[in-house]
Amino acid sequence: MSQASDALRKNFGDGDAARDCGLTTPEDVLRYDDILYGSDPAWQALDVYRPRAAEGEVLPVIVSVHGGGWVYGNKEVYQYYCMSLAQRGFAVVNFTYRLAPEFLYPSALEDTNLVFSWVLENAEQYGFDPENIFAVGDSAGAHYLGMYCNLCTNPAYTAETSFTTPAGFAPSAVALNCGEYELRAVQEDDLAELTRALMGDLLPGKGTEEELARLSVLDAVTPAFPPTFVMTATGDFLRPQAGPLAQMLLEKSVPFVYRFYGDAGREPLGHVFHLNVRSADAQLCNQEECGFFRQFLR
């Protein structure tokens, strides 16, 4: 593992622990924990959260693809955020996937595909509406989710992968939050240096031009890409990535909303601020994203 990945794991871990300190499972949420969706219980497990008042009802689903710079994160870090989405009337699937450098690309993308397949296969048992499956992803998770949407909607892109997505499936709509969508566009600064180090841990070729081109979300977007809520904020260090994504969605006639949170007169809202369920700004963002999803209920 590179020093960059090691430091990121420590820094992100400390920050997430402080953010969620003292939080507990809300009384109005019913949870099912540690369900195996693959063969590895340490890496391929998920939780399901549902509003307790809707027990027995079939609900639309939100699948959460966590962030963490491709090298950090798990479902435990995202449980309170995901339960806050369940409180808004959705069944929510929160999963751990295989991280770099222990596992190289495309392991996490394979796991994402396994989870969507699991949702479709287990819809009856957990009260999922298979016609209304949405997804959220932030930071590296937004990158993975963007690539996954391309796999579901771009046959040429799918042909280059070693696995297949469920036949005829694509998320009904997605929210891409504070994400990185074009790795070749990073400027020559500290962020570029960090990205190169992380790609060295993620990619078999350590980040060749061919590999970085393959990981571009923008290059593979087609008009079939799911309706998208694009979000960034005043203090998001990946803010420059959101505009080009919105522009590409516009060019391809994909329905989308582009939201920029925060204002100049306040302390900047940081990267993935929406995960802090104690924050009024996070509550607003998450409410608006769930409202966006409801526009595409079938």
Side-chain angles (χ1 to χ4, degrees), residues 221-242:
V221 171
T222 71
F225 197 90
T228 303
F229 191 108
V230 181
M231 183 274 277
T232 186
T234 49
D236 176 20
F237 60 81
L238 290 178
R239 184 177 66 183
Q241 294 267 333

Side-chain angles (χ1 to χ4, degrees), residues 81-248:
Y81 160 67
C82 286
M83 285 188 286
S84 77
L85 300 180
Q87 290 176 305
R88 291 173 164 83
F90 292 82
V92 181
V93 177
N94 171 28
F95 71 102
T96 294
Y97 55 77
R98 289 173 290 172
L99 299 173
E102 288 86 353
F103 300 92
L104 301 181
Y105 175 86
S107 297
L109 206 53
E110 293 171 347
D111 289 350
T112 300
N113 186 54
L114 286 174
V115 168
F116 280 104
S117 299
W118 182 92
V119 170
L120 292 167
E121 293 164 3
N122 291 273
E124 184 174 355
Q125 181 175 353
Y126 290 97
F128 301 148
D129 182 352
E131 295 300 313
N132 290 291
I133 300 175
F134 304 94
V136 294
D138 62 86
S139 197
H143 180 225
Y144 280 136
L145 180 55
M147 284 194 292
Y148 187 72
C149 290
N150 284 333
L151 287 174
C152 292
T153 57
N154 184 335
Y157 191 70
T158 305
E160 300 178 19
T161 62
S162 58
F163 60 93
T164 57
T165 59
F169 172 76
S172 298
V174 298
L176 301 179
N177 300 315
C178 301
E180 190 160 7
Y181 313 109
E182 178 50 77
L183 299 170
R184 297 167 297 181
V186 178
Q187 301 299 314
E188 288 300 323
D189 55 16
D190 291 343
L191 178 58
E193 184 178 351
L194 173 61
T195 299
R196 282 193 291 269
L198 296 174
M199 291 302 100
D201 282 345
L202 175 67
L203 298 171
K206 306 299 182 183
T208 66
E209 285 298 315
E210 182 178 359
E211 287 176 323
L212 295 181
R214 175 63 181 164
L215 266 62
S216 170
V217 174
L218 303 186
D219 285 358
V221 171
T222 71
F225 197 90
T228 303
F229 191 108
V230 181
M231 183 274 277
T232 186
T234 49
D236 176 20
F237 60 81
L238 290 178
R239 184 177 66 183
Q241 294 267 333
L245 174 62
Q247 182 62 36
M248 180 59 70

Side-chain angles (χ1 to χ4, degrees), residues 14 52 96:
D14 290 347
R52 191 175 292 276
T96 294

Side-chain angles (χ1 to χ4, degrees), residues 46-85:
L46 59 81
D47 298 344
V48 174
Y49 313 128
R50 292 176 49 94
R52 191 175 292 276
E55 190 169 359
E57 297 181 22
V58 174
L59 296 177
V61 186
I62 298 175
V63 175
S64 171
V65 186
H66 74 74
W70 306 278
V71 301
Y72 165 81
N74 54 40
K75 62 185 180 66
E76 282 67 38
V77 173
Y78 276 65
Q79 60 181 317
Y80 300 111
Y81 160 67
C82 286
M83 285 188 286
S84 77
L85 300 180

